[in-house]
Amino acid sequence: MDRNWAAGHRIARKVVKSMRIALCQPVIPQNVGACIRLSACFQVALDVIEPTGFGFDDRAMKRAALDYGPLGHMVRHQDWERFLQKRVPGRLVLFTTKGAAPLNQFQFEADDTLLFGSETRGAPPEVHEVADARVVIPLQPGARSLNLAVSAGIALFEGLRQTSGLASVPQARA
């Protein structure tokens, strides 16, 4: 990944879908790297809201993102307030373990921003206050939570599935 990508410049590749992923104050670089791959593979934008628990030159993040960085579209925001100032139209859908609608009962809209809090602290109160919806991914009793990147993948797939945003897959040959 080149220095411009690490510095947070927008990637030139056109993002086709309006649904987005936003990570609020992530602390594990591998999760951001995996979400860069996710955004590239599904052609959605990725917003990273700082501060983060790592530098964007972190080797672990680069390793997780592999060579997908140039295929994605990541925008870094200095803090929550700056993210809100530059926010695109659509609902903020916060994924949280606290008092939320189950994923399997939630209706997505094509321009939703799927928002995820920090891996260690979750989303701060000011994020909960602004969220238009709060969604939980149902887990087995006794399970606390999923990995951030896994949660983002599950949520994004379901959101794109509901809004006809999935890419068509060529028919398998017999």
Side-chain angles (χ1 to χ4, degrees):
M1 292 177 217
D2 64 28
R3 188 161 173 74
N4 285 340
W5 178 85
H9 293 283
R10 291 175 187 246
I11 306 301
R13 182 171 172 90
K14 182 180 179 187
V15 175
V16 177
K17 297 167 185 78
S18 56
M19 191 169 285
R20 308 172 71 86
I21 299 170
L23 308 179
C24 185
Q25 303 174 354
V27 297
I28 301 174
Q30 294 91 333
N31 283 332
V32 175
C35 286
I36 290 168
R37 290 180 73 172
L38 184 64
S39 82
C41 289
F42 286 97
Q43 295 183 318
V44 298
L46 171 64
D47 295 290
V48 178
I49 305 159
E50 299 183 24
T52 62
F54 54 90
F56 274 80
D57 59 346
D58 192 291
R59 290 177 58 194
M61 183 182 69
K62 290 180 184 180
R63 192 173 322 124
L66 293 174
D67 57 352
Y68 285 85
L71 298 176
H73 182 83
M74 182 181 76
V75 179
R76 288 171 55 190
H77 303 275
Q78 188 175 8
D79 56 31
W80 176 246
E81 291 304 318
R82 292 215 173 65
F83 168 75
L84 289 177
Q85 290 169 1
K86 298 194 182 226
R87 184 177 151 197
V88 298
R91 300 182 303 176
L92 281 178
V93 179
L94 176 62
F95 283 78
T96 176
T97 58
K98 298 175 181 157
L103 175 66
N104 56 315
Q105 297 175 15
F106 186 75
Q107 287 298 127
F108 288 93
E109 297 175 7
D111 60 352
D112 284 343
T113 295
L114 312 182
L115 179 61
F116 300 85
S118 166
E119 298 94 321
T120 56
R121 297 179 313 277
E126 62 269 19
V127 173
H128 279 269
E129 290 171 13
V130 175
D132 297 301
R134 286 178 232 14
V135 176
V136 64
I137 298 171
L139 303 177
Q140 293 297 315
R144 288 183 321 157
S145 63
L146 291 168
N147 168 281
L148 173 65
V150 171
S151 296
I154 291 168
L156 180 63
F157 188 89
E158 178 61 13
L160 292 175
R161 185 193 68 77
Q162 284 187 23
T163 60
S164 301
L166 293 172
S168 60
V169 178
Q171 192 71 17
R173 295 183 188 181

